[in-house]
Structures are given as structure tokens and as C-alpha cells.
């Protein structure tokens, strides 16, 4: 389909001469003054191009340009002004008001055709690109919205799963809600100290948050241990203790079932903590006997927090130990074996640990 | 358009080669528009404006006539229209009106020639 060019000039011969130059390549419509021009454009906003005379009765070309801008058509409709005298002032004013180009009298057919073609093509490609950009921006905006919504749902799912698992642990009375809260608080405190003093672990604030949330699941495997062992008031036999040790690997079996739902980073932290929070720095821990820094830092942090809480709280099999004594035992290696860096950080945090232990009872 | 007509048009003040170029080297198109020129109201508007002592209307009409004359390469008509147009633009009505006499002379010479060639419109 040919596109329409509107020629607005009060002089019939000018209109027809311009029309004669352009017919064949375009559909030509003609109007005689500014008011007719605006009326036509209102009905035909998809007009390809306007050839506009500056001096017309009723409304001058300048006024028409202003109207076009008010109508918001200036972005999509190229306007070529028909200039009689090449007055620099008039042309400047025309450009300021949004004209695309000029043609001068006397007309040169080749020049008129070329300028019309250039302006029409320029605007067509600009309109096309702007349309594309608008479409793509909209599509990106929508996709971002979907991603944000998915991330929110995922976070919600994570929290719900942790909640369900945590509640399960609570129901079995193995670990109280308070124990979980305290371990979380100690983990946060120790994690921040490590991040501050030992940059080599590259712990970001986000990593610490993740470790804190995951710490609540460190003993999830205990729900698979029988009551007779779990709730036994006295010392465990070797067989019973061996059974008890399997809470680390059984916990991992449980986590494996839900890992597909979590994002990989979070799943790995949960897994590391659950499996390795009973490893020892000297390699004599369980279940894998990992040595030194082979033990994931998340598990190292949680194991200190867990041991400290076990010591200072009353358990079915033991009385509470005073906090100073608990610190001494940990620092002197009587309860487990930790990395020198962890112990250094723990020493710096021990007063805060004591305060937290008092606060969360 | 034969050579005789071309000569007459040249005598009436037209640069024929220039004009033909403007009409895409189509003699029939040039002739079609020359007939339209005979009916073009710009000149009459100019005379009416001068008779009415209306400087603005005289400016507008001389401006249009200058453009029309330029398109046909009526050199004398274009030059006189342009000179009067500049006077009216500057608000010098009397001086503009004086130059319009030259416009009339050039215009009448053209119309006389065109009428002789194409008959009265």
C-alpha cells in the first residue's frame, strides 16, 4: 500500500507542481490552509509526511507546527517546510518548532523528491526502532516481574520448608525451639567476627544470613534416631553412640529430598552444616573425618555455636556448666577440636555469647 | 511545444531551459501548468491589496507571486515581485506599491504572450 503525503499550500499551482513531482511513489492529498491541515491530520495520524507552506491564510505554517507538537505527532510525522525566500530567520524558527527539512522555491524536482524520500525513510526507521525498543522494554519489564515473583515464591518456599523441618525437630523434643534460636544467634555473632578478621573465607553478609538460617537444621537427622537413644538420660553405649552419630548422614538424606526445591547455594550450605557439624579440625570427627580447612567454614562455625550451647544448657544427660568454664573447655580443646582462627574469633565473641545465652532462654 | 513557442516564451521573460528542468523536462507538463498560471490568483490578490492599501496582504500576495514566478523561471516577474515583497516585508508600503508597477508590466507581457499561444482562459 502506498503511503500518503499531505501537501498544504494555499497556492494551487504550488500544490499541483509538488504533487506532480511525487505522484507515482506516494498517494497525494492536498489542503489549502492550516486549519484543513490539522483537521486532516486528526483523522489521519498515520500520514507519512507533510509538505507545509509557511504563509497560508487562517493558520500559518508555524502555528501548524505548534499544533502538531501539541497533538504529539511531532515524534512520528516528518514535516518539510516549503520556503519561498530562504530567509534564515524563518528557517531557524521552523527547525526550532520541529520541522525536519526545507524545500525552496523555485522547486527542483530531484531535490524535492530526494528530501521527501530521506525524511520519510528517516522517520520510518526511527518509528520502527522506537516501536521495537518500546516492545522490548515492555517485555523485559514483564520478565523482571516474573523473576521477582519467582524469587519471592522461592524464598517463601524455603522459609516454609525450614519451618516445617524445624517444627518436626521441636515435636520430637530433641532440641527446643530456644536451642535453635540460640545456635542461630551464636552462629551470626561468630560468622560476623570471622568475616571481619579472616577475609580469606570470603564470607559476605548474604553468606552469613544463609548460614544462620541453615544452622537451624543442623540436627534435623535426629528425627530418624529412636527415642530410647535420643532421650536416654545416661551415658550411651558404643552401639548407641554409633547409632546417634548417624543423625548427620540421615539428616543429609532428608535434605537431599528437598534440595531440588532450594537454590543450589542454600541447599549446599544446609547440607554442609548438617553433615559436617561434628567433624573435628584434627580429623577425628564424624562422619567423614575431614581434616582442617577441608571442613566447610559454615559447619565449623555452627559446630562451635552448637557445642557452646550444649555446654551451658541443661540436658537430659547433664547439668548446665557455667559460661566461663564452658569457654575455657572449648578454648583448651576439652570439647572438640577447632581451627585456631575459629577459636580466636570465639575468644573475641565470648562475652557476647554469654549475653545472648542469657537473653534467649 | 515548438521552437516558435519557446522563442515567444523567452521573449516574455522565461528561461525556458530552466523551467523545463523544473517540470521534469516534460513540455506537456510545462504547458499544462502555464495554462494554470493564467488562472493563478496571486497577481490579482497583489493588485487588490495595493488598491486597498493593505501592506500585510500585499506582502503575502507578492511573496506567493514571487514563488510562482520562480517556478516558471519568469525572471523579470520574479525579480520585481521579490523587490516589492522585500519593501512590504519592511513595512514600506509606498515604495513597494511603486515597484508593483514593474510587476504589472512583467505580468501583462507574460499573459499577453500566453493568451496569444493558448487562447484566453
Amino acid at each position: 500500500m502506498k503511503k500518503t503525503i499531505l501537501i498544504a499550500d494555499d497556492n494551487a499551482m504550488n500544490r499541483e507542481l509538488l504533487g506532480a513531482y511525487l505522484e507515482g511513489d506516494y498517494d497525494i492529498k492536498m489542503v489549502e490552509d492550516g486549519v484543513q491541515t490539522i483537521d486532516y491530520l486528526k483523522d489521519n495520524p498515520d500520514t507519512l509526511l507533510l509538505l507545509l507552506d509557511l504563509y497560508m491564510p487562517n493558520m500559518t505554517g508555524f502555528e501548524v507546527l505548534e499544533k502538531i507538537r501539541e497533538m504529539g505527532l511531532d515524534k512520528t510525522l516528518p514535516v518539510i517546510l516549503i520556503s519561498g525566500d530562504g530567509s534564515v530567520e524563518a528557517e531557524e524558527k521552523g527547525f526550532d518548532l520541529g520541522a525536519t527539512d526545507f524545500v525552496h522555491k523555485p522547486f527542483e524536482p530531484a531535490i524535492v523528491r530526494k528530501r521527501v524520500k530521506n525524511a520519510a525513510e528517516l522517520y520510518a526507521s526511527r518509528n520502527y526502532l522506537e516501536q521495537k525498543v518500546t516492545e522490548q522494554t515492555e517485555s523485559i519489564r514483564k520478565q523482571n516481574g516474573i523473576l521477582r515473583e519467582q524469587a519471592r515464591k522461592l524464598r517463601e518456599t524455603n522459609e516454609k520448608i525450614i519451618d516445617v523441618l524445624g517444627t518436626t525437630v521441636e515435636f520430637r523434643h530433641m532440641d527446643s525451639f530456644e536451642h535453635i534460636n540460640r545456635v542461630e544467634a551464636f552462629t551470626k555473632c561468630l560468622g560476623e567476627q570471622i568475616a571481619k578478621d579472616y577475609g580469606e573465607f570470603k564470607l559476605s553478609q548474604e553468606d552469613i544470613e544463609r548460614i544462620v538460617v541453615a544452622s537451624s537444621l543442623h540436627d534435623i537427622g535426629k528425627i530418624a534416631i529412636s527415642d530410647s537413644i535420643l532421650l536416654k538420660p545416661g551415658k550411651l553405649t558404643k552401639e548407641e553412640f554409633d547409632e546417634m552419630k548417624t543423625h548427620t548422614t540421615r539428616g543429609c538424606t532428608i535434605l537431599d529430598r528437598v534440595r531440588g526445591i532450594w537454590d543450589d547455594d542454600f541447599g549446599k550450605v544446609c547440607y554442609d552444616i548438617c553433615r559436617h557439624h561434628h567433624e573435628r579440625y584434627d580429623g577425628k570427627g564424624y562422619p567423614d573425618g575431614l581434616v582442617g580447612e577441608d571442613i566447610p567454614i559454615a559447619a565449623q562455625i555452627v559446630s562451635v555455636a552448637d557445642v557452646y550451647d550444649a555446654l551451658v544448657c541443661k540436658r537430659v544427660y547433664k547439668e548446665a556448666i557455667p559460661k566461663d568454664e564452658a569457654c575455657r573447655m572449648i578454648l583448651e580443646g576439652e570439647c572438640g577440636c577447632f581451627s585456631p582462627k575459629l577459636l580466636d574469633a570465639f575468644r573475641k565473641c565470648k562475652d557476647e555469647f554469654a549475653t545472648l545465652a542469657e537473653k534467649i532462654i | 511545444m515548438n521552437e516558435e513557442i519557446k522563442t515567444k516564451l523567452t521573449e516574455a521573460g522565461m528561461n525556458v531551459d530552466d523551467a523545463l528542468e523544473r517540470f521534469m523536462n516534460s513540455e506537456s507538463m510545462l504547458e499544462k501548468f502555464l495554462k494554470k498560471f493564467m488562472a493563478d490568483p496571486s497577481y490579482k490578490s497583489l493588485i487588490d491589496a495595493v488598491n486597498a492599501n493593505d501592506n500585510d496582504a500585499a506582502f503575502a500576495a507578492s511573496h506567493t507571486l514571487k514563488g510562482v514566478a520562480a517556478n516558471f523561471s519568469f525572471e523579470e516577474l520574479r525579480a520585481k515581485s521579490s523587490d516589492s515583497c522585500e519593501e512590504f516585508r519592511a513595512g514600506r508600503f509606498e515604495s513597494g506599491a511603486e515597484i508593483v508597477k514593474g510587476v504589472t508590466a512583467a505580468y501583462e507581457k507574460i499573459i499577453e504572450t500566453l493568451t496569444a499561444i493558448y487562447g484566453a482562459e
Side-chain angles (χ1 to χ4, degrees):
Chain A
M1 197 187 80
K2 277 193 253 180
K3 295 290 190 69
T4 305
I5 288 182
L6 181 66
I7 300 174
D9 196 316
D10 59 321
N11 184 273
M13 257 196 313
N14 282 340
R15 289 197 300 270
E16 284 174 36
L17 195 51
L18 288 170
Y21 295 160
L22 297 168
E23 70 189 359
D25 293 333
Y26 309 95
D27 275 337
I28 307 294
K29 292 277 183 287
M30 298 181 187
V31 288
E32 295 174 21
D33 64 34
V35 175
Q36 287 180 15
T37 306
I38 295 303
D39 285 347
Y40 181 86
L41 291 176
K42 274 182 188 158
D43 294 339
N44 303 277
D46 59 343
T47 300
L48 182 66
L49 181 139
L50 169 63
L51 272 162
L52 177 65
D53 187 23
L54 276 180
Y55 301 104
M56 290 186 294
N58 292 334
M59 193 190 285
T60 67
F62 295 127
E63 289 169 296
V64 171
L65 283 172
E66 281 168 1
K67 284 270 182 202
I68 285 174
R69 187 175 284 184
E70 280 169 31
M71 290 158 73
L73 275 179
D74 56 320
K75 294 277 185 289
T76 53
L77 175 71
V79 180
I80 296 181
L81 291 177
I82 302 162
S83 159
D85 46 20
S87 133
V88 174
E89 275 169 36
E91 296 202 359
E92 262 187 24
K93 189 175 173 192
F95 278 127
D96 285 347
L97 287 170
T100 311
D101 205 350
F102 278 84
V103 290
H104 301 280
K105 290 175 212 163
F107 301 133
E108 300 290 341
I111 302 277
V112 170
R113 277 204 298 260
K114 198 76 197 162
R115 293 202 164 174
V116 165
K117 185 165 178 279
N118 285 349
E121 281 176 1
L122 176 71
Y123 271 65
S125 87
R126 200 175 89 176
N127 293 346
Y128 173 76
L129 287 178
E130 278 186 9
Q131 175 66 22
K132 274 275 167 249
V133 168
T134 309
E135 279 171 18
Q136 282 171 2
T137 307
E138 176 61 15
S139 139
I140 287 168
R141 202 186 59 72
K142 271 190 193 155
Q143 282 170 3
N144 274 343
I146 292 169
L147 284 180
R148 263 201 310 278
E149 177 61 12
Q150 281 175 346
R152 192 187 63 75
K153 278 188 182 155
L154 198 60
R155 248 194 334 271
E156 259 182 34
T157 309
N158 284 350
E159 282 162 17
K160 272 185 198 150
I161 292 167
I162 289 165
D163 217 36
V164 169
L165 294 177
T167 312
T168 314
V169 176
E170 242 186 287
F171 265 116
R172 292 252 7 233
H173 297 289
M174 317 145 348
D175 280 326
S176 68
F177 180 66
E178 289 76 17
H179 168 68
I180 287 174
N181 276 358
R182 279 193 304 267
V183 170
E184 280 188 357
F186 298 149
T187 298
K188 186 170 184 345
C189 176
L190 199 54
E192 281 168 357
Q193 192 69 45
I194 292 280
K196 192 174 132 208
D197 292 347
Y198 297 101
E200 59 265 43
F201 292 111
K202 297 187 172 66
L203 285 180
S204 66
Q205 193 56 41
E206 200 188 338
D207 293 329
I208 295 169
E209 296 292 327
R210 222 181 257 140
I211 294 169
V212 168
V213 173
S215 75
S216 65
L217 299 182
H218 68 282
D219 271 343
I220 185 71
K222 283 189 178 171
I223 60 175
I225 307 296
S226 67
D227 278 359
S228 61
I229 296 171
L230 197 62
L231 306 175
K232 186 178 174 181
K235 203 171 159 43
L236 300 178
T237 66
K238 186 184 178 301
E239 289 73 24
E240 286 169 338
F241 190 54
D242 285 344
E243 166 80 8
M244 187 64 161
K245 284 173 167 179
T246 64
H247 81 274
T248 51
T249 49
R250 288 183 180 195
C252 290
T253 308
I254 295 168
L255 289 180
D256 274 336
R257 299 278 168 86
V258 289
R259 254 177 106 175
I261 307 172
W262 286 337
D263 68 78
D264 288 347
D265 288 344
F266 187 70
K268 184 175 185 315
V269 172
C270 287
Y271 190 93
D272 283 349
I273 291 172
C274 187
R275 188 172 185 97
H276 299 301
H277 71 281
H278 284 292
E279 303 285 359
R280 290 168 51 107
Y281 201 68
D282 58 9
K284 291 180 183 161
Y286 63 88
D288 298 321
L290 297 182
V291 183
E293 297 305 334
D294 284 349
I295 307 165
I297 186 64
Q300 290 193 47
I301 293 169
V302 174
S303 62
V304 174
D306 187 34
V307 166
Y308 178 83
D309 196 61
L311 289 174
V312 300
C313 290
K314 187 174 179 292
R315 292 280 166 102
V316 283
Y317 52 89
K318 64 171 260 302
E319 288 300 316
I321 293 169
K323 296 179 185 70
D324 281 352
E325 177 65 2
C327 288
R328 189 196 59 76
M329 290 167 76
I330 290 173
L331 290 171
E332 291 180 7
E334 289 175 26
C335 295
C337 175
F338 303 103
S339 109
K341 291 170 188 174
L342 256 289
L343 290 179
D344 174 53
F346 173 68
R347 193 179 296 114
K348 287 172 184 160
C349 301
K350 67 183 170 50
D351 291 343
E352 206 177 326
F353 267 43
T355 312
L356 289 168
E358 291 300 321
K359 225 192 292 181
I360 311 166
I361 301 170
Chain B
M1 185 181 273
N2 57 35
E3 287 306 313
E4 191 194 338
I5 292 179
K6 283 186 188 172
T7 308
K8 282 185 178 168
L9 289 172
T10 306
E11 284 168 7
M14 177 189 274
N15 182 331
V16 179
D17 289 342
D18 254 21
L20 267 175
E21 211 170 286
R22 202 153 299 124
F23 289 87
M24 305 187 288
N25 291 314
S26 160
E27 293 179 358
S28 65
M29 184 173 165
L30 173 58
E31 292 196 292
K32 181 178 130 196
F33 275 88
L34 279 173
K35 288 172 194 167
K36 287 178 193 286
F37 174 79
M38 295 167 79
D40 184 74
S42 316
Y43 172 75
K44 189 175 179 303
S45 302
L46 175 59
I47 298 306
D48 290 349
V50 169
N51 289 340
N53 292 318
D54 186 337
N55 187 76
D56 288 352
F59 166 70
S62 59
H63 189 269
T64 305
L65 184 58
K66 176 180 77 170
V68 169
N71 280 335
F72 289 100
S73 296
F74 288 134
E75 302 294 0
E76 178 70 4
L77 182 62
R78 185 199 61 73
K80 293 285 183 234
S81 308
S82 179
D83 290 350
S84 67
C85 181
E86 291 314 310
E87 295 304 302
F88 295 132
R89 191 201 295 275
R92 292 188 290 267
F93 178 78
E94 295 304 329
S95 151
E98 190 57 33
I99 299 173
V100 168
K101 289 176 185 167
V103 173
T104 298
Y107 181 78
E108 283 180 348
K109 191 172 169 190
I110 291 164
I111 290 298
E112 199 176 304
T113 304
L114 292 179
T115 307
I117 299 169
Y118 303 112
E121 276 296 308

